[in-house]
Each structure stands twice: as C-alpha cells, then as structure tokens.
Amino acid sequence: MIVLDKEHKLFTLHTQNTTYQMKADAYGVLLHTYYGPRVRGGDLSCLLQYTDRSFSPNPNAAGTCRTYSLDVLPREYAASGGGDFRIPSLEVEGPDGSHTASLRFAEAQVRPGKYALEGLPAFFGAEAEADTLVITLEDAALQLQVELFYGVFEAHDLITRAVRVVNRGEGTVRLRQAASLCLDLPGGDWDLITFDGRHVMERCPSRAPLRPGVQSVGSVRGTSSHQHNPFAILCGREAGEEHGLCYGAMLLYSGNFQAAAERSQFESSRLVLGIHPYHFCWTLDPGASFTTPEAALVCSNQGFGAMSRRFHRAIRSNLLRDPYGDRRKPVLVNSWEATYFDFDADKLVELAAASAPLGVELFVLDDGWFGARDSDSSGLGDWTVNERKLPGGLEALVARIQALGMSFGLWVEPEMVNEDSELYRAHPDWALSVPGRGPSRGRAQLVLDFSRKEVRDHIYAALKRVLSSAEVSYVKWDMNRSLTDVWSAALASERQGEVYHRYVLGVYEMLERLRQDFPNLLIEGCSGGGGRFDGGMLYYTPQIWCSDNTDAVDRLRIQYGTSFGYPPCTMGAHVSATPNEQTGRTASLETRGAVAMSGTFGYEMDFGKSSPEERETIRKQVEFFKKHHHLLQTGDYYRLTSPFQEGPYTAWAHVSPDGREALVNLVTGSTHAALPFTSLRLQGLDPNLDYRVNGGKLWPGDVLLTAGYPIPLFLGDYQTFQLYLEAVDASSPAF
Ligand code: GLA
C-alpha cells in the first residue's frame, strides 16, 4: 500500500510486515525517514535531529541556518557536490564541467501495478499484486529530472527501486555514476554480509562489522562475476537465521556493479547499490534519458531465513518467466563431464540410451557440436553444426534422441569468438579490443562486441537457424571469460564509457528475442558455472548453472550461500561422477542426489559406466525427485545449519507453504569416532500438527520445532539422511 500525503510531501510504503517512508522537507530535499518493521505511519521525520556540525556545510537555500546540512541527514537519493560527503547515488558532469547537482522535489504519482523498465530486467506485477510510486526530483540549474521508481509488493514484503535521469536542458550532461539504490539507516553498528568467492567456489557469505568509512565489493569484469554477487545484507550484530533485523538488497543486473556501504562520522550508515562507476560515463544529449537497473529490498526482523524466503517467493512468482511455471521440469543429463569434446552422434545416442530407462527425460548436448570445435581454442562464433561429428545435422540427432522418448537441449556461447574461427577471420573488428593493442585472451577466446546491433543480429540469425532446424526444448547459454580491452569500434571516443552497459543491454536484448521467438524454450544461464548468477539473468533464464564445481560437499557451501538471495529452483545442480573431477573427493550417490535435488536436478555423467546397483539407485532417486518436486521447487526453504560452521552435519529443509509437508536433508561432514548424540531442530512446521516421519512414527510438530529430531549416528564421511514429513489430520497420540 502506498500512502501519498501530498500536502506534507510525505510518502509511505507499507508492505505486510514493513514500512518505508520518505519526506520532502522545507527545502524540497527528499529525506529517508524510516525503513523497518511495519509501523502505523504518521510523519516519521520526528525521528530526525538537527544541530550545527562543523565541516558539514549548509546548502545555499538554507540561508544562515547552520543546523541544516545534507552531510548528516538521511537522504533518499543523494547527488554529489552539494555538501553530502558520503558515497553519492548520482554524479553528473554538467555542460560547464561542474560535478554538482541539487535534487529537489517536483512531484509524486501513484500508479496501479508495477512499473516496467524497457530493455532491462525487472520484477513484474499486476494491479492486484503491486503498486508504483514515482517521485520526480529536479535540478533547476541543469534542468535535469530524476525520477525515482518504487514498486511495492505488499504480500511479498518486497520494495523495488529504479531511477530514470532525463536531460531536459539544452546542453549535454554526462552521468559518471547513477546508482539504483541508496539506503540510509540510523546507527553505525551494522554488519555487512557479502557473497564472495571465485570460479568453482562462488557466493560464500562473508560477514564483518561496518568500519568507519566506505567498504565495498563489486565487479569490473563485465559480468556480475564469480568473485562477488550483486546481493548484500546489512544486519544487526545479533541477527541470525531466525532472529534479528536485516536488510537484503539485490541488484537485478548482470554487468559491472558496486555494492558500497559507509559508516559515517555521526554513526549513520548508507548502502549504495548500482552500476560500478569504473569506466562508466553515459552521455545525455538534450532530451535523452538513462534508466538504471532495478534494485530490490527486503527487510526482515525475523532474521535471514524469513528475508530469504521473501526474496524466494517474490522471485518465483514475479521475476522468473519460466515456460514450465509450477510444472515439473524434465530431469536432464548433460554430456559435458561424460564426453568433453570427444564425441560423435553414436556416442551421444549411447549416453542418452543409458539415461532413458532411469527416468531421465532431457538430453543436453554441451560444448563441441559446432564449427571446427575439437578443443576450446577454436570454433566459437561459427554456429553451424559440425557434420563430421553429427552427420545429418541436429535434425538427425534429435530424431534419434526423441526415439528414446527424450527431449533435446543444446549448449551455446553466443557472446564469444575464437580467433581460429570463420567469424573472426571475416570480422576481426567485431571482437572487443583497443586499437593498437592486441586483446587479452581468456580461455583462448575473445568477447564479441554485443553493444553493436549488427554483431548481435548476425549471431542471433545463426542461432535461430540452428534452433529451428530441430526440436530443441532447452538451451544452456554460457559465457566463459571476463571482459577486457573494452572499446567499441562503433562508438565515438567520448561514448566509450557506455560500452560495458550497452554490452549488457545487448545480452538482454538477445535473450529477450530468443524468448519471444521460442516461447517454450527453457533457457539456463551459465558463465563458467556461477559467474553471472544474478537477478538480472534470472528474468531471462529462470535457472542458472550454479557452479562448475559439482562436488556435493563443496556444493553444500555454494548452494547455501546462493540461497540467501535466490530460490533453490533457480540453482542448476547435477549429480556427477565420483571421485569428483574438481576436488577428487568421493561422495555417495545418495549424497550427490540429495544435494542436486535441492536445485534444478539432473545428471552430468555416463550412466553406461555405472554398475547395475548404481543405476538402480539413480532410477529410485529420479523417481523420488519426481514425486517430491513440488516441495523441492516451490516449498519454503529453511537453512537449518551452516556448512561453514564446525558441526557434525549440514541440514536444510523444504517445507510446503501450508507447513503440512516437509523434506529435511542432512549431509554429515568428515566423521570422527565416538560421535556425540545430536538432535536437529526443525523449522517451518505447524506446532499444532503431528507429522508422520518417513512413513513411520508420528512426531508432534511442537516437539520437532523445539527439541528436534534425534539424528542417528553415521559411519563414514559425507553420508546423507533424508526425512520426509507429512502432517496427519487426526490428532493421535504421538511417538
Ligand atoms: C563452461 C560451463 C561448463 C561447460 C563448459 C563447456 O565451463 O560452465 O558446464 O558447459 O563451459 O565448454
């Protein structure tokens, strides 16, 4: 609900459990008065205090008043140069070279339904689900208009933000920074949690108290990156999984980003999230506008678990555009780890034939099917089927796969080119590179300049031809290097600061075209695993390959970290062969299965090499997944223990939204002799119901929630234990 008090220029956004408020003060400055647990409302600017602070200047409009300074007030969207020395949201270079802007309130408007952003990913919402508030600020001297968009999803406790900057003046202005979100909070005593890592070990949470000054993470790699994720949490020192105040902030963007938090001199804190200012400079000619990516906020005073579940629900229902909706997606087998580049049609059909009897439904042909691609140093850019490996093209192969009762999926990497390719020989200038310098190589490949329409059109046409040549129901869109040498032959020198962002817009445009032309196609995002796992990509690709690391034990950490912002149904997860190729570790099929089932679920192995017993285990595993997919894919997710903490096991649960059904998963760590007894306290159940556990005894919900379930002792490392709980109606004596 949006309460617009025009008279007092007071704007209050209520969601079911939270309240967010702004007020334009006497000088027209938009102040941020409150964001937190839901309160009744009223004018919360009563919380603000004013005093004369040295070295905190007073704006010209305040005349001789010394107690009014932008440097100490909580701001909604702060431009640089006017006396607020904290991290700015907006930095504008005027036609005269100045870097000062003073944004003042102009008007506010409420609209039913959720705003959309042209060419950019954004949460969507019909009138019954969301409302929009647009607040327009203006800088009179520059004639610059800044529109702040707010989407309010009451039931999800989600507030989205985006900003549009319009040049209404006669001169050219340049945006040096345009953040999507600025959040000023009272107090400095917050912890900042970011999700960091590296290739094959992505999104591990790291928590530290805010220090005085600015601390930030971000990416200047052209993608959101393996190293840091565009999702961060500010929380109280005491906040934990089930208690405490926390604010989650997510940027729906797949390129360079910065998440910066600042603890100020007077113990207030600011979080700024948006496109990274590095090599960003957007020229706005008269009449032109720039729209930032969207950011989304969730506040919870019941800890991280509730925060995550709010993001999960909102993402599932109002961000993913999944052709399957809530229907179960096919269980897939991917050829990569089974064959790498070494295959022909017979070998692929053999792999598929070994999979079909196990209940696997989709065969995905990974890298190596096109151009002269026998290793990763050639062929990218040439999107025509290699008929030496696949005579008769995709059509012939797909017919053989379909004859086994399976559907077919394909790997592509459209943004890249190898120097050893027909495409590069014909169009060397289509790759990003700086004139006079040889471009850096990454995995022996260069990055195509997707900021250019003709480049995108060429690649798109080739892909469309391939995808139309046979029935392809799934595409894995990969991207296997970071951007360097970012310079576009199609843009003037003063516009080179636009290339990174135009590249991302180009990727979005291609993906949107693909969605429009192939509406039933399931697209899985990928960037060397989880190098572009973000809310922006999820709008186009409802699932993303979570990590190239398929080791079940490492995946406990990767999927745990990823789950803070993103729902399990978006996490590409497969069972692969053991010992694992990335870690050399051996884990049981049961453990690998339980971990992969908490994601999209599939396999990445040659079943022909499995023993009959293993094949039987896999068949049962697939059956189990199919039976419980609704719980695994649309249930509420509970992190019961952390894989980063010392303890005998990692546990998590999927609980149906009505609390009547749950699947609890537990994976033990490396074991020790004479282990102590432990009980696992569950979450999300109804205390008033009794639950039948694994088809056996009845357990009272309140006991499972308080005392927990006694975990049997296991011999061996990395064992798995799954509990399926179903509520029974009649209240019968338990135990
Ligand atoms: C990346 C992906 C892998 C696989 C290879 C193919 O590394 O993450 O899953 O598709 O590329 O080259």
Side-chain angles (χ1 to χ4, degrees):
M1 183 176 50
I2 298 174
V3 184
L4 187 65
D5 176 350
K6 283 203 168 165
E7 189 191 337
H8 300 101
K9 297 180 184 147
L10 189 67
F11 315 104
T12 311
L13 319 178
H14 288 299
T15 68
Q16 208 174 314
N17 296 293
T18 66
T19 298
Y20 185 111
Q21 196 187 67
M22 298 155 272
K23 180 178 175 145
D25 70 9
Y27 304 110
V29 171
L30 190 64
L31 301 178
H32 177 81
T33 57
Y34 181 81
Y35 184 33
R38 183 156 174 160
V39 293
R40 266 172 289 155
D43 185 345
L44 300 174
S45 65
C46 57
L47 296 169
L48 309 182
Q49 289 175 294
Y50 297 83
T51 189
D52 183 357
R53 298 285 195 189
S54 314
F55 290 87
S56 289
N58 318 108
N60 185 270
T64 55
C65 172
R66 292 183 176 205
T67 58
Y68 186 87
S69 169
L70 299 177
D71 198 25
V72 296
L73 286 166
R75 315 273 307 277
E76 190 57 24
Y77 197 72
S80 64
D84 180 346
F85 300 101
R86 293 165 293 179
I87 338 161
S89 318
L90 186 74
E91 187 178 346
V92 190
E93 188 180 306
D96 53 4
S98 62
H99 278 236
T100 295
S102 317
L103 302 176
R104 299 292 180 262
F105 176 79
E107 59 164 334
Q109 239 188 45
V110 174
R111 299 178 198 160
K114 163 71 179 27
Y115 64 85
L117 301 175
E118 207 191 323
L120 281 166
F123 281 90
F124 50 83
E127 290 184 14
E129 297 169 298
D131 292 307
T132 294
L133 169 69
V134 186
I135 297 182
T136 306
L137 309 176
E138 267 170 11
D139 179 285
L142 287 171
Q143 294 192 50
L144 196 74
Q145 221 172 45
V146 174
E147 293 167 337
L148 308 181
F149 290 83
Y150 297 83
V152 182
F153 290 82
E154 196 165 339
H156 292 316
D157 287 310
L158 181 93
I159 294 175
T160 66
R161 295 180 56 174
V163 179
R164 183 165 170 259
V165 184
V166 191
N167 181 6
R168 303 265 180 227
E170 281 170 9
T172 292
V173 299
R174 294 202 161 79
L175 301 181
R176 298 278 179 183
Q177 180 178 359
S180 301
L181 171 143
C182 168
L183 179 65
D184 276 1
L185 294 172
D189 207 12
W190 299 96
D191 280 358
L192 175 67
I193 305 178
T194 55
F195 296 85
D196 315 309
R198 55 194 183 274
H199 177 232
V200 298
M201 209 61 224
E202 298 89 343
R203 291 173 297 287
C204 301
S206 118
R207 177 174 183 166
L210 274 193
R211 288 177 288 105
V214 179
Q215 40 254 260
S216 73
V217 295
S219 166
V220 292
R221 294 169 174 271
T223 54
S224 47
S225 89
H226 300 89
Q227 288 71 16
H228 303 286
N229 194 261
F231 176 67
I233 300 171
L234 269 184
C235 62
R237 286 281 159 82
E238 303 308 319
E241 209 40 50
E242 293 173 80
H243 61 272
L245 183 60
C246 58
Y247 298 87
M250 176 181 291
L251 186 69
L252 282 73
Y253 191 57
S254 314
N256 290 351
F257 78 94
Q258 188 175 56
E262 179 168 3
R263 180 173 180 167
S264 82
Q265 55 179 336
F266 299 117
E267 294 298 316
S268 67
S269 300
R270 171 173 289 180
L271 180 69
V272 172
L273 187 57
I275 292 181
H276 202 295
Y278 165 74
H279 202 167
F280 174 81
C281 177
W282 199 275
T283 299
L284 285 181
D285 288 329
S289 67
F290 177 81
T291 305
T292 71
E294 178 164 280
L297 281 167
V298 165
C299 166
S300 151
N301 65 347
Q302 292 137 23
F304 310 131
M307 176 209 69
S308 296
R309 286 185 290 279
R310 289 174 188 171
F311 272 114
H312 293 181
R313 286 184 180 193
I315 289 174
R316 282 201 315 258
S317 60
N318 294 85
L319 181 66
L320 304 183
R321 299 174 301 166
D322 184 342
Y324 286 86
D326 275 349
R327 281 182 302 133
R328 184 177 64 74
K329 285 179 233 179
V331 175
L332 69 78
V333 61
N334 177 295
S335 66
W336 180 241
E337 290 194 17
T339 65
Y340 295 106
F341 293 102
D342 181 21
F343 61 82
D344 58 16
D346 289 344
K347 173 119 183 233
L348 297 176
V349 173
E350 209 178 289
L351 280 178
S355 328
L358 308 180
V360 176
E361 298 152 308
L362 166 65
F363 179 80
V364 178
L365 170 53
D366 209 277
D367 198 352
W369 56 267
F370 52 91
R373 181 85 169 161
D374 290 320
S375 76
D376 62 10
S377 53
S378 62
L380 284 173
D382 298 340
W383 299 107
T384 47
V385 176
N386 180 331
E387 298 238 2
R388 182 176 50 81
K389 289 183 186 174
L390 304 176
L394 279 194
E395 204 184 346
L397 175 67
V398 174
R400 292 175 72 187
I401 301 288
Q402 285 180 338
L404 297 166
M406 299 179 86
S407 53
F408 180 79
L410 196 64
W411 177 96
V412 295
E413 194 179 357
E415 298 156 70
M416 297 293 152
V417 66
N418 286 117
E419 286 153 285
D420 184 2
S421 68
E422 299 300 323
L423 183 73
Y424 188 76
R425 282 184 279 275
H427 299 285
D429 67 308
W430 282 12
L432 289 174
S433 80
V434 178
R437 294 175 196 276
S440 315
R441 299 179 184 92
R443 206 193 186 198
Q445 62 200 49
L446 307 182
V447 183
L448 286 172
D449 182 357
F450 262 34
S451 73
R452 290 170 69 172
K453 187 166 179 330
E454 68 274 33
V455 177
R456 297 197 304 270
D457 285 351
H458 174 92
I459 298 292
Y460 188 76
L463 285 181
K464 189 171 174 182
R465 261 193 305 277
V466 172
L467 296 178
S468 311
S469 71
E471 207 176 321
V472 179
S473 61
Y474 161 105
V475 154
K476 175 173 167 189
W477 178 298
D478 209 341
M479 197 285 187
N480 280 314
R481 62 159 288 181
S482 304
L483 272 58
T484 56
D485 312 287
V486 172
W487 189 90
S488 173
L491 285 174
S493 60
E494 68 275 15
R495 286 195 179 262
Q496 293 297 328
E498 300 179 12
V499 181
Y500 274 112
H501 183 57
R502 286 187 186 277
Y503 177 91
V504 178
L505 294 179
V507 173
Y508 290 157
E509 188 245 17
M510 287 276 278
L511 284 162
E512 189 60 34
R513 271 206 252 179
L514 203 55
R515 286 194 68 265
Q516 301 287 336
D517 286 344
F518 301 92
N520 297 321
L521 186 69
L522 174 62
I523 314 175
E524 173 155 340
C526 179
S527 175
R532 201 160 55 181
F533 201 117
D534 56 69
M537 282 308 278
L538 284 178
Y539 182 67
Y540 302 95
T541 66
Q543 57 192 50
I544 298 174
W545 184 226
C546 204
S547 177
D548 275 349
N549 186 345
T550 51
D551 174 85
V553 178
D554 275 357
R555 274 293 186 118
L556 291 174
R557 292 186 166 199
I558 297 168
Q559 294 176 198
Y560 169 89
T562 306
S563 78
F564 278 80
Y566 310 98
C569 68
T570 63
M571 298 180 206
H574 298 165
V575 175
S576 63
T578 205
N580 183 271
E581 304 224 345
Q582 290 89 9
T583 59
R585 186 173 4 231
T586 301
S588 70
L589 251 178
E590 286 76 7
T591 298
R592 285 175 280 151
V595 174
M597 257 178 228
S598 289
T600 58
F601 195 53
Y603 291 83
E604 187 127 350
M605 59 199 281
D606 182 351
F607 296 119
K609 293 189 178 146
S610 310
S611 68
E613 297 73 46
E614 283 169 335
R615 278 203 291 275
E616 182 52 17
T617 307
I618 291 168
R619 198 190 56 71
K620 288 205 181 117
Q621 207 161 64
V622 172
E623 206 172 82
F624 183 86
F625 171 76
K626 288 180 181 171
K627 185 164 165 220
H628 296 300
H629 83 96
H630 60 287
L631 203 50
L632 290 158
Q633 296 188 345
T634 61
D636 284 334
Y637 190 69
Y638 289 85
R639 293 177 290 264
L640 301 177
T641 68
S642 164
F644 290 91
Q645 269 156 21
E646 267 299 304
Y649 45 72
T650 299
W652 68 99
H654 306 264
V655 183
S656 63
D658 62 4
R660 296 186 61 86
E661 217 190 335
L663 182 69
V664 181
N665 302 276
L666 182 148
V667 175
T668 64
S670 66
T671 198
H672 302 285
L675 287 173
F677 291 121
T678 54
S679 288
L680 177 65
R681 210 169 47 72
L682 304 187
Q683 293 179 44
L685 304 179
D686 184 336
N688 299 314
L689 292 176
D690 292 335
Y691 293 83
R692 193 172 300 289
V693 178
N694 283 348
K697 278 189 197 165
L698 281 183
W699 285 78
D702 52 358
V703 171
L704 293 171
L705 289 168
T706 50
Y709 185 88
I711 301 300
L713 296 177
F714 285 92
L715 288 183
D717 293 341
Y718 315 120
Q719 300 298 308
T720 275
F721 183 59
Q722 284 182 311
L723 288 177
Y724 174 68
L725 285 79
E726 201 172 12
V728 291
D729 278 324
S731 173
S732 41
F735 300 99

